[in-house]
Amino acid sequence: MLHAAQNLLLAASLTLIAGGLWMRDRLPGPEAVLPASLPEPTQEPERRAPFPVSAGGIDYTVRPLYRYELRGMVVSRHATSAWWDVVHRDWWGDHLNVVDLCVVWGETLRSGVHRRMRYASGTFTCYYATDDGEARQRFCPDEISNNHLLANDPAIVKRLRGVRPGDQILVRGALAEYGHAQGGFARGTSTRRDDRGNGACETIWVTEARVLRRANAGWRTAVPLGVGGLLLALALWFVLPPRPVE
């Protein structure tokens, strides 16, 4: 009986892990889209002077250009702290860009066409594609942006790093240029939504970040629960190994 219970726990744990990994970043449909996620980003001239900030032991200068507010659904993300991202960490010494979020808003969300696209984030860019001809025609490239998010406030950094695809967010701050003297690193920002290609990403100094609605909470919980169950099942195998039948 105990051996059967161990097998059941192992199978259930593996199922939770597999299901959670498959479903935790699923994009919600239009029925789950909040009205607050639909408006296009807003920007206004910013008169704030350049200011110094520190992150990761490096001193940066941030130059705000426009006050900026971004709302929408995250469809892809890149964690700049990933172990394989040597560009931000080692080549540029860029610890201020804490995460990149690719965000969709407007009619693309309202119509549900966002779910008929595929998205992926690279070190600097967000890619989107589809094999659905109708979705390709209806998808509006002016309603998606890849956002390099800058922050050194621990609470904001934690909140931004906790955002996953499917979450609906509100980000306030400033479109900004920034850089540091070590290695002569400098980075700019797009100031329009209809540009494409290199330089089309928005660089935002974040002063406020909120998740308006989280997605797939159950599936995200399934992964750590499954890992815990798997560890327990393996521990039971070592502590109470199956006995041979004589």
Side-chain angles (χ1 to χ4, degrees):
M1 177 68 75
L2 181 59
H3 181 52
Q6 290 172 325
N7 285 337
L8 181 61
L9 176 60
L10 180 62
S13 299
L14 292 174
T15 300
L16 282 173
I17 294 171
L21 291 174
W22 180 258
M23 299 293 288
R24 66 181 180 180
D25 290 344
R26 180 184 57 174
L27 302 182
E31 70 284 351
V33 173
L34 299 171
S37 298
L38 296 174
E40 66 180 27
T42 60
Q43 68 180 60
E44 299 175 355
E46 175 63 86
R47 293 183 174 85
R48 185 178 180 184
F51 57 90
V53 295
S54 297
I58 295 179
D59 296 327
Y60 303 82
T61 298
V62 177
R63 179 172 174 257
L65 302 179
Y66 293 91
R67 289 194 299 275
Y68 196 68
E69 180 176 290
L70 170 69
R71 298 169 178 265
M73 181 183 293
V74 176
V75 294
S76 185
R77 69 188 291 273
H78 169 63
T80 57
S81 59
W83 65 267
W84 50 266
D85 188 348
V86 297
V87 176
H88 286 86
R89 181 181 61 251
D90 300 326
W91 296 1
W92 288 359
D94 184 4
H95 304 283
L96 199 59
N97 180 190
V98 297
V99 69
D100 293 347
L101 297 181
C102 190
V103 177
V104 166
W105 61 86
E107 187 60 28
T108 299
L109 282 184
R110 193 197 314 270
S111 67
V113 73
H114 67 287
R115 297 190 73 188
R116 297 158 66 182
M117 309 291 292
R118 300 186 302 274
Y119 309 90
S121 287
T123 306
F124 311 107
T125 53
C126 174
Y127 305 93
Y128 57 89
T130 183
D131 298 322
D132 185 328
E134 181 189 1
R136 187 181 302 110
Q137 290 182 344
R138 295 181 63 189
F139 184 83
C140 178
D142 293 350
E143 293 180 340
I144 183 171
S145 67
N146 191 44
N147 304 274
H148 306 308
L149 302 183
L150 316 178
N152 69 343
D153 181 295
I156 293 178
V157 170
K158 181 179 180 180
R159 197 169 301 127
L160 290 174
R161 286 180 172 165
V163 172
R164 301 289 306 187
D167 291 346
Q168 297 174 63
I169 63 167
L170 164 65
V171 170
R172 291 192 176 107
L175 293 177
E177 302 170 342
Y178 73 111
H180 61 72
Q182 297 174 246
F185 167 71
R187 196 179 202 182
T189 180
S190 169
T191 58
R192 50 192 296 177
R193 313 292 84 77
D194 59 353
D195 50 358
R196 308 282 183 271
N198 186 34
C201 297
E202 279 68 28
T203 302
I204 308 173
W205 169 254
V206 180
T207 57
E208 180 184 351
R210 285 193 280 150
V211 176
L212 302 177
R213 174 173 286 176
R214 291 203 178 274
N216 311 314
W219 287 114
R220 294 179 189 177
T221 304
V223 175
L225 283 177
V227 170
L230 178 61
L231 294 175
L232 177 59
L234 294 175
L236 289 174
W237 276 95
F238 283 104
V239 175
L240 302 169
R243 296 180 179 178
V245 178
E246 298 180 355

